[in-house]
Amino acid sequence: MAEFALDGKSLITPEAFLREFAHPRPVAFETQFEEAAAHMALILNFAHQQFVAEAEPAPIINRVARELHKIRLKYSGSVWQALIPLAQQHPVASFFLQDPFTRWSFTKPRGYSGDAHLLDFIYRHPSADNDLADASDLGKQLYASTSDSASSQAVRERREILAAKVDEVAEANGPGTEVFTIAAGHLREAELSKALKNKKLKRWVALDQDPESIATIREKWKGTAVEPLDGSVRTILGSTNSIGTFDLVYAAGLYDYLAQNVATKLTQRCLRLLKPGGVFLFANFAQGIADDGFMETFMNWPLLLRSEKQMWSIIEGSVDNSIIDANVYFGANHNVIYGVVMKG
Ligand SMILES: C[S@@+](CC[C@H](N)C(=O)[O-])C[C@H]1O[C@@H](n2cnc3c(N)ncnc32)[C@H](O)[C@@H]1O
């Protein structure tokens, strides 16, 4: 079980991730590893030469991301995991790390992967403007590519989908509407919500384990229906009598760090927080995304990517007879997958 995601602090580091999800080594590990390492070295050496020659950065990073994805797909999980430190130690890394988004992800200033400021790079939010202004020209050009990757586009769409869901539920339930966001980060979807702007919500509880993110939400939304809540998944799995019930409960950017059994337990708990007619939504990066290799190496950002089947298995392991409908669907470019459950 992924205890690190349940410790109340959720310091989700790549080391903890690897400990939890290490792949067993195949018999032919050494031979496969040598071949894969040589293959990857060719790609990275060439990219390095191109950076040194000051070639156009977008084709360099796009090719490296494409090739890393192929290598990740071709070799066994344990071979790929052994390649990650080699990529990170390659001299080409010093070029990729000039991109402030890649550097933030790699260095993890908040001590864990996937913090809310990282998401602000993806959202191209003004709060990341200073980091961008301080970047080298190459860094700025690389950021134009990383913030435009398929996974970044999907996360921006996810933000819109979340805001639209809040508005739809508010429209259906009227002024008593109560929303609960788990792992809210900076709650950037609230900036897009018409229901919040037009004061159509009774309350919007936003929980996160990072006090800095909670402080940002508190500052931004004081005097509104938004109620920041400093707490973790553990808070939800423990006693939640004081939280109340909701018309909409959702989590985005959280399940990607939760093992299947923990994800199922959390889903069971969330379904109990729904009022009759309530909706639960959870999002996860999808298996097979093109950016997986670049994210796991130069961004040092491993994620648990899920298939439709795995999303369904979380739902099937969570529902009781109060549930009337459920669905699993992809976002526009298939990089993010959504599970939705409706209570009768
Ligand atoms: C990738 S961000 C997503 C933020 C936001 N939901 C969004 O979509 O922009 C992940 C957030 O989950 C929070 N988080 C991670 N593990 C958590 C846990 N066990 N309990 C509560 N929050 C958690 C982190 O602090 C971080 O703000």
Side-chain angles (χ1 to χ4, degrees), residues 5 10 12 112 114-116 119 123 158 162 182-186 189 207-210 213 231-233 252-254 257:
S10 283
I12 303 161
Y112 61 93
D115 66 87
L119 272 281
Y123 295 140
R158 186 179 79 188
L162 298 177
I182 300 166
H186 288 155
E189 60 273 25
L207 173 138
D208 201 279
Q209 58 85 34
D210 187 333
S213 298
S232 72
V233 165
L254 174 67
Y257 303 94

Side-chain angles (χ1 to χ4, degrees), residues 99-337:
D99 163 23
F101 169 26
T102 301
R103 190 173 59 245
W104 187 277
S105 182
F106 189 84
T107 56
K108 308 194 192 308
R110 296 222 189 145
Y112 61 93
S113 289
D115 66 87
H117 191 66
L118 185 78
L119 272 281
D120 283 347
F121 283 110
I122 298 177
Y123 295 140
R124 297 175 170 157
H125 194 271
S127 77
D129 284 355
N130 285 345
D131 303 81
L132 196 56
D134 291 344
S136 64
D137 282 347
L138 173 66
K140 290 187 179 87
Q141 291 177 68
L142 289 171
Y143 175 71
S145 291
T146 52
S147 67
D148 196 39
S149 69
S151 59
S152 292
Q153 289 179 24
V155 171
R156 284 195 292 275
E157 182 198 43
R158 186 179 79 188
R159 180 189 181 198
E160 286 168 16
I161 287 173
L162 298 177
K165 187 52 98 181
V166 170
D167 290 353
E168 181 192 311
V169 170
E171 185 71 33
N173 293 282
T177 301
E178 296 175 274
V179 176
F180 185 24
T181 306
I182 300 166
H186 288 155
L187 199 71
R188 293 302 185 200
E189 60 273 25
E191 296 171 23
L192 309 179
S193 165
K194 293 189 188 68
L196 181 64
K197 189 170 170 215
N198 299 328
K199 302 190 170 49
K200 303 280 190 205
L201 301 173
K202 182 175 170 198
R203 62 176 183 141
W204 185 342
V205 179
L207 173 138
D208 201 279
Q209 58 85 34
D210 187 333
E212 256 192 80
S213 298
I214 289 296
T216 303
I217 299 177
R218 183 169 291 119
E219 171 66 23
K220 169 98 187 158
W221 296 108
K222 60 176 171 251
T224 73
V226 173
E227 295 176 17
L229 181 60
D230 195 339
S232 72
V233 165
R234 182 180 260 187
T235 316
I236 307 165
L237 292 175
S239 164
T240 49
N241 293 342
S242 54
I243 296 180
T245 53
F246 299 87
D247 301 285
L248 172 64
V249 176
Y250 71 86
L254 174 67
Y255 276 66
D256 318 73
Y257 303 94
L258 303 180
Q260 200 76 356
N261 56 345
V262 182
T264 306
K265 213 185 233 175
L266 176 63
T267 307
Q268 285 166 357
R269 195 73 195 94
C270 289
L271 295 180
R272 275 189 244 136
L273 294 175
L274 292 179
K275 295 181 199 172
V279 178
F280 173 65
L281 179 149
F282 63 111
N284 210 110
F285 273 111
Q287 259 177 26
I289 58 170
D291 301 320
D292 51 8
F294 189 85
M295 287 166 77
E296 291 179 13
T297 52
F298 296 108
M299 290 190 161
N300 201 20
W301 188 15
L303 292 169
L304 263 178
L305 309 171
R306 286 202 160 89
S307 63
E308 279 176 286
K309 196 166 164 223
Q310 288 167 329
M311 296 291 277
W312 273 117
S313 130
I314 293 173
I315 293 174
E316 282 156 13
S318 310
V319 297
D320 57 27
N321 55 15
S322 70
I323 298 307
I324 53 161
D325 202 3
N327 200 4
V328 169
Y329 54 89
F330 286 99
N333 70 7
H334 279 229
N335 274 231
V336 172
I337 188 162

